[in-house]
Amino acid sequence: MAPAPSLRFSSFLALLHCTMLAGAVPFAAGKWKLVQEGNTGVSAMQLAVVSETKAIIFDKVEANPLQTNGHSAWSAEIDLPSRTVRALNPITNTWCATGSFLSNGTFIHSAGNPFVNISQGNIGPDGRQAIRMFTPCTDASCDIIEDAQHLRLTSRRWYASSARLEDGSMFIFGGSIDNAFINNVTINNPTFEFFPPKNINGFNGLQIPTRFMEDTVKGNHFPNVHTLPDGRLFISANREAMILDWKTNTEVRLPGIPNGVRISSPFSASAVLLPLTQANNFTPEIMICGGSVVDDTLEESQYSSQTPASAQCARLVLTPAGIATGWKVESMPQPRLMVELILLPDGRVLAVNGAQTGVAGYNSTFDPVGLESNADKPALTAAVYDPDAPLGRRFSSADIPASSIPRMYHSTASLTPDGSVLLAGSNPNVQFTTEGRFPSEYRMEFLSPPYMFSNRPTVNGVPATVDFGKTFTLNINLPPNVRDVSVSLMDLGFATHGVHMDQKLVQLQSTLSRNKKTLQITAPRDGRLFSPGPGFLFIVTNEGVPSVGHKVLIGTGASPPVDQGAIDKYAASPLPQILALMPNF
Ligand SMILES: *[C@@H]1O[C@H](CO)[C@@H](O)[C@H](O)[C@H]1NC(C)=O
Ligand SMILES: *[C@@H]1O[C@H](CO)[C@@H](O)[C@H](O)[C@H]1NC(C)=O
Ligand SMILES: *[C@@H]1O[C@H](CO)[C@@H](O)[C@H](O)[C@H]1NC(C)=O
Ligand SMILES: CC(=O)N[C@H]1CO[C@H](CO)[C@@H](O)[C@@H]1O
Ligand SMILES: [Cu+2]
């Protein structure tokens, strides 16, 4: 007997959906709940969920309240159930770095900022070429490991982005070699590289040039990078977009962002790859929301905290036909800059955090009205987006309580494995401060969609590792009246500056047994659909209620390929300043 397609996203339902009225796709109804619980101890500029119960955060070197080894911490691990933190100990300055997991489950945090020496012994060596490793653990034994002698980037990067590739390695793209409010031609790093390094495109172990980063200065910090089901990468920055074949270094330019909207830092929008489902035949479609139309060639002193942000959302289907059709434009309920787009396990997208005016950056030396930020008018109400609803009826803020905590520059958010969304950070200040309208913010909030208060499905027997194309069976316990389920495999990614590296939802093929006690699931077909490495499996009922997410390592769990020749080549390149400042190396 042919396996019954899961109902929620099945093509059968998609057909039916066309004949049904708006809002027919079921989502759990009711009130959302926002609670404020716990403190991050360090400013939560960067965030990654690393296990079913833990997340890690990174800040820059600054006088945070959380202490470690006689100085302020600038990284911490959050225990999600207890809402408590434990300091972690990176060595180098982690300011505005990037992060991705490798296929073996180790998290790689890379890039950063030059040496700093601030008060009270808070000293951070140059982190621009840093590779920092974190292998999650269930106790308190794991910490950040840095070994610059053996592990480092081949060039300096600040505000670079990253992605986990189909072979389980990490792709690192763009950024600046030095820090500034906005990128420019002097400090631009128009190259990409890999970790572990590769001998590829004629650049054995060293960084590879990309025209795209040259063509998109100035406003091209933290480009959006998304892996596509054909193995290529969608990359967008400033007002441009392209598809990069990293294996041949071929750039295919796409239509630019509509209406002149700039979408990368300091005009931070957010981009999301919409769920890849059976109903859409795993066709990639990108959505980018927010940003600004302000000129990116102004002098720093000419930007205003009062300039309205863009409310635009633009969607592009990444097939030849979709690209020929071009971007389709709609609007968020509010303009938004520094917005976070977060995939929910039920297939919707949450837009949260950010401001309605200004640009991303620190408390300005240039604010015309003396407001203590580069941005003003916090966007305190989240909006949830149903990608399949009719145009004009996709966003809703109904039943979502507004926050009272502004989440401005250097704030962040992520889905957590229990299904709630963690909101954290906000620190548009050069240094830790409790003063001003937007002080350094340590309070965490958890935004819970109505499905959190429904009777939820539970499963057990989720394997630690599942290889591509393999089928496995789970024991499942469904609430009464549930007819069917679907399975969302999610990469929760790494979030910073509104950019969610590696965030992805791939619907897996599944078959519910006749007695609804077991569920047979087939892992993704290959590493192009879901890069080998950690994911979270959510079982979602036909009423839109997900189980909690269970961590699973997709693939064999093997480490990514290592090319010793490429490592030797970069090891022979000049040692970065980082080493000189780290006597222990
Ligand atoms: C950091 O600054 C303090 C105070 O200015 C100074 O005494 C110390 O030597 C500096 N440390 C380094 C490593 O530069
Ligand atoms: C680029 O930015 C750096 C750092 O702010 C600055 O020193 C340099 O003069 C700038 N270059 C240009 C061409 O604006
Ligand atoms: C994962 O791979 C990296 C790169 O080869 C390696 O340094 C790291 O130790 C590996 N982690 C585990 C848990 O094996
Ligand atoms: C908190 C803080 O540092 N606020 C400063 C921001 O910048 C303005 C000048 O534009 C100062 O007046 C504020 O004190
Ligand atoms: Cu930053």
Side-chain angles (χ1 to χ4, degrees):
M1 197 169 75
S6 347
L7 190 60
R8 164 72 179 84
F9 293 106
S10 70
S11 44
F12 166 74
L13 189 66
L15 280 175
L16 202 66
H17 182 194
C18 301
T19 65
M20 289 194 294
L21 293 171
V25 176
F27 297 107
K31 291 222 178 307
W32 296 55
K33 200 166 149 191
L34 183 69
V35 295
Q36 183 201 306
E37 279 173 347
N39 282 280
T40 53
V42 307
S43 180
M45 180 197 288
Q46 309 161 31
L47 174 65
V49 170
V50 298
S51 73
E52 290 176 19
T53 55
K54 314 269 192 204
I56 54 175
I57 50 182
F58 294 91
D59 186 20
K60 61 182 192 242
V61 179
E62 70 179 314
N64 285 304
L66 186 67
Q67 298 291 303
T68 182
N69 297 327
H71 62 81
S72 288
W74 61 90
S75 175
E77 182 187 69
I78 306 169
D79 181 65
L80 294 166
S82 67
R83 316 300 202 209
T84 55
V85 292
R86 142 177 108 87
L88 297 177
N89 296 281
I91 296 166
T92 53
N93 192 354
T94 49
W95 188 13
C96 301
T98 188
S100 288
F101 289 88
L102 300 177
S103 50
N104 61 17
T106 293
F107 177 74
I108 302 291
H109 190 248
S110 84
N113 210 244
F115 173 79
V116 289
N117 178 6
I118 57 167
S119 61
Q120 287 132 23
N122 295 314
I123 297 165
D126 190 340
R128 286 174 290 180
Q129 285 182 241
I131 293 281
R132 310 174 190 92
M133 288 202 178
F134 181 80
T135 302
C137 58
T138 50
D139 55 15
S141 62
C142 43
D143 208 330
I144 316 280
I145 296 169
E146 290 193 60
D147 174 9
Q149 188 72 53
H150 302 103
L151 301 170
R152 59 179 188 272
L153 293 176
T154 71
S155 59
R156 296 171 175 183
R157 296 185 192 274
W158 187 61
Y159 275 83
S161 292
S162 60
R164 180 170 79 255
L165 298 174
E166 65 193 77
D167 66 358
S169 68
M170 182 182 182
F171 168 86
I172 305 132
F173 187 85
S176 295
I177 59 167
D178 215 335
N179 58 337
F181 157 70
I182 192 167
N183 201 4
N184 69 44
V185 292
T186 317
I187 59 173
N188 192 22
N189 185 343
T191 70
F192 60 91
E193 59 183 281
F194 302 89
F195 183 79
K198 296 185 193 299
N199 181 356
I200 191 171
N201 298 331
F203 294 86
N204 189 7
L206 299 181
Q207 65 272 23
I208 300 166
T210 168
R211 270 291 299 278
F212 187 80
M213 278 301 293
E214 289 180 11
D215 294 349
T216 52
V217 279
K218 297 170 70 174
N220 65 356
H221 269 157
F222 278 126
N224 300 297
V225 180
H226 300 264
T227 56
L228 300 177
D230 68 1
R232 295 184 299 166
L233 299 165
F234 171 86
I235 301 183
S236 58
N238 208 343
R239 297 191 291 192
E240 311 295 327
M242 70 155 173
I243 293 178
L244 175 69
D245 185 337
W246 57 269
K247 292 173 188 163
T248 59
N249 195 14
T250 314
E251 301 184 354
V252 176
R253 296 300 169 99
L254 299 173
I257 311 301
N259 302 312
V261 177
R262 298 180 198 280
I263 52 103
S264 46
S265 182
F267 314 108
S268 307
S270 194
V272 67
L273 186 67
L274 294 174
L276 296 165
T277 68
Q278 283 151 37
N280 64 30
N281 201 21
F282 305 101
T283 303
E285 181 171 5
I286 202 85
M287 179 168 83
I288 305 179
C289 297
S292 175
V293 294
V294 74
D295 187 352
D296 73 343
T297 63
L298 300 182
E299 293 300 315
E300 206 169 317
S301 60
Q302 293 174 299
Y303 289 97
S304 163
S305 67
Q306 305 301 301
T307 307
S310 171
Q312 174 171 285
C313 281
R315 282 169 65 161
L316 185 66
V317 178
L318 298 170
T319 59
I323 292 163
T325 304
W327 294 93
K328 295 200 199 103
V329 171
E330 57 195 288
S331 281
M332 290 184 285
Q334 290 179 305
R336 256 184 152 105
L337 185 89
M338 304 179 286
V339 52
E340 313 278 335
L341 293 183
I342 293 162
L343 286 166
L344 299 179
D346 63 12
R348 291 183 295 175
V349 181
L350 186 73
V352 70
N353 287 5
Q356 302 184 55
T357 63
V359 291
Y362 279 149
N363 178 42
S364 61
T365 48
F366 55 78
D367 193 315
V369 292
L371 292 160
E372 293 162 349
S373 177
N374 279 2
D376 194 29
K377 295 195 179 59
L380 297 168
T381 307
V384 67
Y385 181 87
D386 173 5
D388 297 324
L391 187 65
R393 304 181 65 167
R394 294 176 186 161
F395 274 110
S396 171
S397 294
D399 294 323
I400 306 182
S403 175
S404 59
I405 302 178
R407 301 285 181 189
M408 312 294 277
Y409 186 50
H410 288 163
S411 62
T412 186
S414 177
L415 181 70
T416 73
D418 75 3
S420 65
V421 175
L422 166 58
L423 312 178
S426 185
N427 188 19
N429 307 292
V430 181
Q431 266 305 322
F432 168 81
T433 178
T434 56
E435 306 291 311
R437 276 182 67 218
F438 305 118
S440 307
E441 180 58 66
Y442 292 85
R443 290 171 292 175
M444 293 191 268
E445 288 169 296
F446 293 84
L447 182 57
S448 295
Y451 59 62
M452 297 287 289
F453 315 108
S454 305
N455 202 351
R456 299 176 73 175
T458 59
V459 289
N460 50 57
V462 177
T465 305
V466 183
D467 207 355
F468 293 102
K470 292 282 186 306
T471 294
F472 57 103
T473 303
L474 304 181
N475 294 323
I476 184 163
N477 198 335
L478 294 175
N481 304 323
V482 168
R483 291 190 311 278
D484 206 350
V485 297
S486 65
V487 178
S488 296
L489 173 65
M490 300 187 71
D491 190 328
L492 306 185
F494 167 85
T496 190
H497 295 72
V499 179
H500 288 251
M501 321 287 169
D502 297 311
Q503 182 179 226
K504 193 176 236 188
L505 190 164
V506 176
Q507 189 198 18
L508 301 186
Q509 193 195 56
S510 63
T511 313
L512 191 58
S513 63
R514 199 176 284 266
N515 67 6
K516 301 191 176 123
K517 296 284 185 209
T518 60
L519 181 67
Q520 200 182 65
I521 301 174
T522 305
R525 58 164 198 253
D526 59 30
R528 294 187 295 277
L529 192 56
F530 191 93
S531 301
F536 288 83
L537 208 62
F538 293 87
I539 312 303
V540 188
T541 71
N542 61 290
E543 292 166 342
V545 179
S547 67
V548 301
H550 295 275
K551 189 174 176 181
V552 56
L553 205 56
I554 302 295
T556 61
S559 297
V562 169
D563 183 321
Q564 194 55 47
I567 293 175
D568 293 345
K569 185 82 189 296
Y570 94 77
S573 65
L575 291 185
Q577 194 196 5
I578 181 177
L579 291 172
L581 292 164
M582 297 166 75
N584 48 334
F585 291 119

